[in-house]
Amino acid sequence: KILLIDVYGIIKLKNKSEILIFSKFAEYDSNNFDTKFYSEVKATYENNIIESENLDLFFKDNYGEMYNNIKFYNNDSEITADKLFFDLVNGDIKINMYNVDDKITIIKN
Protein backbone atom coordinates (compact mmCIF):
# COMPACT_ATOMS: atom_id res chain seq x y z
CA LYS A 1 0.00 0.00 0.00
CA ILE A 2 1.08 3.54 -0.76
CA LEU A 3 0.29 6.51 1.52
CA LEU A 4 -0.56 9.67 -0.46
CA ILE A 5 -0.67 13.27 0.79
CA ASP A 6 -2.66 16.19 -0.74
CA VAL A 7 -4.47 13.89 -3.13
CA TYR A 8 -6.22 14.74 -6.41
CA GLY A 9 -7.88 11.98 -8.41
CA ILE A 10 -10.15 11.56 -11.41
CA ILE A 11 -12.63 8.74 -12.00
CA LYS A 12 -13.71 8.37 -15.60
CA LEU A 13 -17.03 6.55 -15.94
CA LYS A 14 -18.07 5.13 -19.29
CA ASN A 15 -20.56 7.50 -20.96
CA LYS A 16 -20.74 9.67 -17.79
CA SER A 17 -19.07 12.84 -16.52
CA GLU A 18 -15.79 12.62 -14.63
CA ILE A 19 -15.71 12.54 -10.84
CA LEU A 20 -12.96 14.71 -9.33
CA ILE A 21 -11.71 13.77 -5.86
CA PHE A 22 -9.60 15.78 -3.42
CA SER A 23 -8.41 14.83 0.08
CA LYS A 24 -5.61 15.46 2.55
CA PHE A 25 -4.60 11.77 2.58
CA ALA A 26 -5.25 8.49 0.79
CA GLU A 27 -4.10 4.91 1.01
CA TYR A 28 -3.68 3.30 -2.43
CA ASP A 29 -3.43 -0.46 -2.99
CA SER A 30 -1.35 -0.92 -6.14
CA ASN A 31 -2.41 -4.59 -6.42
CA ASN A 32 -6.13 -3.95 -6.96
CA PHE A 33 -6.30 -0.10 -7.27
CA ASP A 34 -8.65 0.18 -4.27
CA THR A 35 -8.18 3.55 -2.60
CA LYS A 36 -9.20 4.94 0.79
CA PHE A 37 -9.32 8.74 0.90
CA TYR A 38 -9.54 10.44 4.27
CA SER A 39 -9.49 13.86 5.94
CA GLU A 40 -11.33 16.71 4.22
CA VAL A 41 -12.56 14.61 1.30
CA LYS A 42 -14.34 16.47 -1.50
CA ALA A 43 -15.81 14.95 -4.68
CA THR A 44 -17.34 16.89 -7.56
CA TYR A 45 -19.55 15.43 -10.28
CA GLU A 46 -21.28 17.69 -12.80
CA ASN A 47 -22.95 20.38 -10.61
CA ASN A 48 -22.77 18.24 -7.42
CA ILE A 49 -20.28 18.68 -4.57
CA ILE A 50 -19.98 16.05 -1.86
CA GLU A 51 -17.84 16.50 1.24
CA SER A 52 -17.03 13.94 3.95
CA GLU A 53 -14.21 12.62 6.09
CA ASN A 54 -13.88 9.28 4.26
CA LEU A 55 -14.25 7.87 0.76
CA ASP A 56 -13.41 4.26 -0.05
CA LEU A 57 -13.27 3.09 -3.67
CA PHE A 58 -13.42 -0.62 -4.47
CA PHE A 59 -12.59 -0.88 -8.16
CA LYS A 60 -12.68 -4.69 -8.30
CA ASP A 61 -16.30 -4.54 -7.08
CA ASN A 62 -17.19 -1.30 -8.96
CA TYR A 63 -18.49 0.73 -6.05
CA GLY A 64 -17.55 3.48 -3.63
CA GLU A 65 -18.68 4.57 -0.18
CA MET A 66 -18.47 7.97 1.46
CA TYR A 67 -19.07 8.25 5.18
CA ASN A 68 -18.64 10.47 8.25
CA ASN A 69 -20.16 13.96 8.06
CA ILE A 70 -21.50 13.87 4.51
CA LYS A 71 -22.64 17.15 3.02
CA PHE A 72 -24.07 17.02 -0.51
CA TYR A 73 -24.68 20.26 -2.45
CA ASN A 74 -26.02 21.14 -5.87
CA ASN A 75 -28.01 23.98 -7.45
CA ASP A 76 -31.30 22.63 -6.06
CA SER A 77 -30.58 21.28 -2.59
CA GLU A 78 -28.31 20.58 0.35
CA ILE A 79 -28.29 17.12 1.96
CA THR A 80 -26.72 15.96 5.22
CA ALA A 81 -26.35 12.23 5.85
CA ASP A 82 -24.10 9.51 7.32
CA LYS A 83 -23.39 7.27 4.33
CA LEU A 84 -23.39 7.52 0.57
CA PHE A 85 -22.98 4.48 -1.70
CA PHE A 86 -22.37 4.84 -5.43
CA ASP A 87 -22.10 2.40 -8.30
CA LEU A 88 -19.06 3.05 -10.49
CA VAL A 89 -20.67 1.34 -13.48
CA ASN A 90 -24.01 3.14 -13.78
CA GLY A 91 -23.50 6.14 -11.46
CA ASP A 92 -26.44 5.32 -9.16
CA ILE A 93 -26.25 6.86 -5.67
CA LYS A 94 -27.89 5.69 -2.42
CA ILE A 95 -27.86 7.93 0.67
CA ASN A 96 -28.41 6.41 4.13
CA MET A 97 -28.12 6.98 7.87
CA TYR A 98 -26.36 4.57 10.25
CA ASN A 99 -29.35 4.55 12.60
CA VAL A 100 -32.65 3.80 10.83
CA ASP A 101 -34.43 6.15 13.26
CA ASP A 102 -32.30 9.13 12.17
CA LYS A 103 -33.42 11.19 9.21
CA ILE A 104 -31.51 12.49 6.21
CA THR A 105 -31.70 16.29 6.16
CA ILE A 106 -32.69 17.86 2.82
CA ILE A 107 -32.89 21.61 2.28
CA LYS A 108 -34.30 22.87 -1.02
CA ASN A 109 -32.66 26.02 -2.39
Side-chain angles (χ1 to χ4, degrees):
K1 297 192 186 215
I2 300 169
L3 178 62
L4 306 169
I5 300 171
D6 292 327
V7 183
Y8 169 71
I10 300 173
I11 298 175
K12 295 183 180 187
L13 301 173
K14 188 175 183 179
N15 300 320
K16 302 277 184 185
S17 298
E18 294 178 339
I19 300 171
L20 306 177
I21 301 170
F22 309 88
S23 70
K24 287 226 179 235
F25 306 101
E27 187 177 290
Y28 173 73
D29 187 330
S30 58
N31 294 320
N32 58 21
F33 309 115
D34 290 352
T35 308
K36 295 182 177 189
F37 299 86
Y38 56 98
S39 189
E40 298 180 25
V41 178
K42 180 177 181 179
T44 62
Y45 173 76
E46 295 179 354
N47 69 335
N48 301 299
I49 299 169
I50 309 166
E51 297 174 342
S52 72
E53 286 303 311
N54 301 86
L55 165 61
D56 297 344
L57 298 176
F58 302 99
F59 290 101
K60 65 185 175 299
D61 299 320
N62 291 314
Y63 77 92
E65 291 183 322
M66 290 186 90
Y67 51 98
N68 292 331
N69 301 318
I70 292 178
K71 302 214 183 317
F72 180 102
Y73 308 92
N74 64 24
N75 294 339
D76 301 320
S77 57
E78 297 177 19
I79 299 171
T80 303
D82 291 338
K83 279 191 317 189
L84 184 144
F85 171 92
F86 58 95
D87 188 308
L88 292 172
V89 175
N90 62 24
D92 287 351
I93 294 174
K94 295 178 188 172
I95 301 172
N96 299 58
M97 299 299 283
Y98 290 125
N99 183 339
V100 294
D101 294 329
D102 290 342
K103 306 287 184 205
I104 295 169
T105 303
I106 301 173
I107 300 171
K108 289 287 272 179
N109 292 333

